[in-house]
Amino acid sequence: MKNGQIIWGASGLSHDAAITILQDDKILFASSSERYSRIKNDPDFHPALILDCLQYGQPDVIVWYEKPFKKFLRRLLIDKRWAPYSVKDTFKQFGIKAPVKYVDHHISHLCGSLYTAPWYNVDSTLGVVIDSVGEFKTLSIWDIKDAKNYKCIHSFYYPNSLGLFYSSITDLLGLKPQEEEYIMMGMASFGDEREAEGMRFYNYFLENFFDKEGNLIVDLRRGCKSITADMVNGEGGFLFDIAWAAQKVYEKVTLDIIKKYLKQTGYKKLVMSGGCALNCTANSYIHKLVDNMWIFPNPGDAGSSLGAALAYNKTQVVLDNMYLGHDAGTNIDVDELVNYLNTNKIAGVIHGRAEFGPRALGHRSILADPRVPNIKDIVNEVKGREKFRPFAPIVLETHFNHIFEPINKNTHYPYMQHTFKCKYPDLYPGIVHVDGTSRVQTVDSKQPFIFEVLKKWHALTGCPILLNTSLNVKGKPLLNSVADIPEFAHKTLKIYG
Ligand SMILES: [Fe+2]
């Protein structure tokens, strides 16, 4: 690593192509190909993404988020698939000839969280990476002595994979695996331990799928064949019970493993990454085990484009917010916007730079008044989503404690990574899920645009919360630029941008 080098961290070719540009301790740009191609989880690099990246000049080096040969071997030996790929050739077709370095998949995940941790001093920290599979690893536990001195102390190897378990049940429920796990997580909230069917599946999964150490002992690579149609479609259908059971089993196994290694190391700080770190319900339970917990807000493979660059650069970066993507160059009249929202209408916003990651955090969002009783139905209809799907709140950080039950003294949760019990579900029906929790985004001055919107909304109405959901229609990525607005053409949604 040399000072001033333009480093491109890159991931993709299997799914979720993404590029992060790093220079010293600054993230200059980060985005996913899907935003440009309008194809969700697009594995290929779109020319418009490359053009946006080249505004920062040619890269001095490209750091790839995994080891292609190891992955090739895994696919060949375990999955019996012949699927080699060349990173060099991929970038050469865009005229980019920078040298390519390679980082282990789980080290890319780990470093994405390790080098963005907001408490900076990452010594004596436990690292946890959980995903479906990288090259061979599917879960890894890391002893982080300090930022440059970390070692893996425990691993699971494919197909022993908690992520694969969760994705297989997602598939079993008729949802799209590797994409719609968040829908299953939403469905899980409808079950509870008082439901006999939920408990039946919970016990079934625990007894038949896992050993005492949390290893997955069945091969789920071709789906969850041991659950038959009879079991799933018995009287009344048990899809929500299965979702609840799978979520609870995932939480139990994950928590048991993390507790074991927290105890072994004596650490009170934890950084987590991998696609499974998007499970905000589990995250809230994990958070209770430690004093400090940090998850890079784009913990899946797209975010590993940053992790790979950081693993190469070994520099702590300051992450003020996740507005790192394409600049829409828009200018929204905030007074007009909040007045419009105060008429019980919903509005889309396309403001400035797009979020890097799966969550809309106020720059590519649909906003609405969470106090309106039927607002959930209205927004779900506009987005073309299932009726049971919940919505999340953005709340002024100063008001977080008044409305939600905190986990500890921390009130700073700007990335929608944890759920909290809402103290007043009847006051805010639009943002409380069936289990009484909300996936909260707190807002302060580090998110200037949405902070201004929320402050003006609060001044106008006395309400410090807005309903916030991603500006996309079902099955499509978040809108990137104003040119994508026609995707909402047949919907009654006013979009500011
Ligand atoms: Fe991964």
Side-chain angles (χ1 to χ4, degrees):
M1 185 268 284
K2 289 185 209 132
N3 284 349
Q5 258 194 333
I6 295 289
I7 302 168
W8 283 18
S11 59
L13 301 180
S14 322
H15 56 93
D16 292 308
I19 297 175
T20 296
I21 304 178
L22 187 69
Q23 186 176 37
D24 302 325
D25 60 352
K26 300 257 178 320
I27 304 168
L28 302 181
F29 176 89
S31 190
S32 294
S33 203
E34 64 165 30
R35 302 291 172 82
Y36 297 83
S37 67
R38 313 305 304 147
I39 301 165
K40 207 156 181 196
N41 301 334
D42 191 350
D44 298 317
F45 291 90
H46 193 271
L49 167 65
I50 300 287
L51 265 183
D52 260 2
C53 291
L54 287 173
Q55 289 176 24
Y56 299 89
Q58 283 276 342
D60 295 304
V61 60
I62 294 170
V63 190
W64 189 247
Y65 79 125
E66 63 184 9
K67 300 267 177 82
F69 184 66
K70 270 195 193 173
K71 185 168 190 167
F72 165 75
L73 274 185
R74 189 259 297 165
R75 285 170 159 172
L76 189 67
L77 297 175
I78 304 179
D79 293 335
K80 313 290 179 214
R81 272 202 302 142
W82 179 268
Y85 68 85
S86 165
V87 182
K88 265 193 179 150
D89 290 349
T90 300
F91 283 97
K92 215 190 262 176
Q93 64 180 319
F94 297 108
I96 296 164
K97 294 176 187 147
V100 181
K101 308 282 180 193
Y102 301 93
V103 175
D104 270 340
H105 190 104
H106 271 217
I107 289 182
S108 294
H109 274 310
L110 177 76
C111 290
S113 285
L114 167 59
Y115 289 114
T116 55
W119 61 80
Y120 307 118
N121 182 4
V122 286
D123 62 344
S124 306
T125 297
L126 193 75
V128 177
V129 178
I130 311 177
D131 64 2
S132 280
V133 63
E135 295 99 354
F136 287 93
K137 277 187 168 81
T138 64
L139 175 147
S140 55
I141 306 287
W142 301 78
D143 180 346
I144 303 166
K145 300 266 191 239
D146 59 58
K148 288 179 183 159
N149 184 8
Y150 49 81
K151 77 166 187 228
C152 185
I153 53 174
H154 186 66
S155 301
F156 283 2
Y157 294 96
Y158 188 75
N160 171 13
S161 166
L162 270 167
L164 182 61
F165 164 71
Y166 208 90
S167 292
S168 301
I169 308 300
T170 302
D171 183 33
L172 180 77
L173 300 186
L175 301 167
K176 213 169 169 183
Q178 308 291 344
E179 189 176 314
E180 295 187 329
E181 281 74 6
Y182 62 97
I183 300 181
M184 183 167 101
M185 194 173 63
M187 291 171 70
S189 300
F190 285 82
D192 69 51
E193 60 278 357
R194 289 166 298 184
E195 297 284 341
E197 287 309 325
M199 285 309 293
R200 180 165 72 94
F201 284 109
Y202 175 81
N203 291 325
Y204 182 84
F205 288 144
L206 262 192
E207 286 161 18
N208 295 285
F209 282 46
F210 292 92
D211 70 11
K212 295 273 180 283
E213 303 299 318
N215 293 293
L216 183 69
I217 51 174
V218 290
D219 185 350
L220 295 177
R221 282 178 297 156
R222 280 169 193 81
C224 191
K225 299 264 188 288
S226 66
I227 303 273
T228 62
D230 281 356
M231 286 172 78
V232 176
N233 299 317
E235 261 176 72
F238 301 130
L239 298 185
F240 288 83
D241 294 315
I242 293 174
W244 174 84
Q247 172 68 26
K248 284 292 146 196
V249 166
Y250 170 77
E251 287 166 12
K252 182 189 162 24
V253 173
T254 307
L255 259 80
D256 284 352
I257 293 168
I258 293 175
K259 274 183 202 164
K260 178 176 168 184
Y261 288 96
L262 284 172
K263 195 174 169 197
Q264 184 177 304
T265 56
Y267 294 164
K268 296 280 179 202
K269 292 187 284 191
L270 183 143
V271 293
M272 191 168 173
S273 201
C276 294
L278 286 165
N279 194 314
C280 53
T281 314
N283 291 346
S284 293
Y285 291 114
I286 297 166
H287 192 350
K288 288 175 186 166
L289 304 176
V290 290
D291 296 337
N292 291 81
M293 175 176 184
W294 170 247
I295 302 166
F296 175 60
N298 190 359
D301 285 357
S304 280
S305 58
L306 172 65
L310 290 170
Y312 172 78
N313 210 36
K314 296 186 170 44
T315 311
Q316 207 75 23
V317 294
V318 177
L319 189 75
D320 282 337
N321 56 54
M322 288 295 279
Y323 308 125
L324 301 167
H326 177 75
D327 190 347
T330 47
N331 194 10
I332 294 171
D333 183 331
V334 173
D335 290 305
E336 193 193 320
L337 171 66
V338 295
N339 282 321
Y340 183 75
L341 292 170
N342 199 28
T343 59
N344 289 359
K345 296 206 176 83
I346 65 173
V349 290
I350 298 180
H351 174 80
R353 297 188 71 173
E355 297 87 343
F356 179 45
R359 310 280 184 236
L361 301 167
H363 280 202
R364 301 292 188 275
S365 287
I366 293 173
L367 303 171
D369 184 345
R371 301 166 300 174
V372 176
N374 64 338
I375 198 76
K376 236 188 245 186
D377 294 339
I378 296 169
V379 183
N380 268 330
E381 203 281 321
V382 165
K383 292 190 67 170
R385 306 197 320 174
E386 300 83 355
K387 267 196 144 190
F388 66 85
R389 302 273 301 279
F391 290 107
I394 49 173
V395 59
L396 287 171
E397 189 169 313
T398 45
H399 287 68
F400 167 73
N401 268 348
H402 308 165
I403 298 163
F404 300 97
E405 289 179 13
I407 291 172
N408 53 28
K409 283 186 206 149
N410 188 14
T411 57
H412 187 64
Y413 294 98
Y415 301 118
M416 295 173 70
Q417 295 171 307
H418 302 85
T419 55
F420 301 89
K421 276 263 179 221
C422 179
K423 294 177 184 173
Y424 310 106
D426 295 340
L427 281 183
Y428 308 109
I431 51 90
V432 183
H433 200 16
V434 63
D435 60 0
T437 66
S438 303
R439 191 175 61 187
V440 175
Q441 176 192 352
T442 61
V443 175
D444 67 3
S445 58
K446 288 187 174 159
Q447 302 139 290
F449 168 70
I450 202 65
F451 186 49
E452 190 190 354
V453 170
L454 212 46
K455 274 195 304 182
K456 288 196 166 169
W457 169 253
H458 183 221
L460 181 70
T461 65
C463 173
I465 302 182
L466 276 167
L467 180 155
N468 168 36
T469 184
S470 51
L471 183 62
N472 68 321
V473 290
K474 187 171 162 56
K476 297 288 272 183
L478 282 180
L479 265 56
N480 207 33
S481 71
V482 289
D484 305 323
I485 290 177
E487 287 180 19
F488 276 91
H490 59 296
K491 309 281 185 181
T492 48
L493 177 72
K494 181 165 181 177
I495 297 180
Y496 288 80

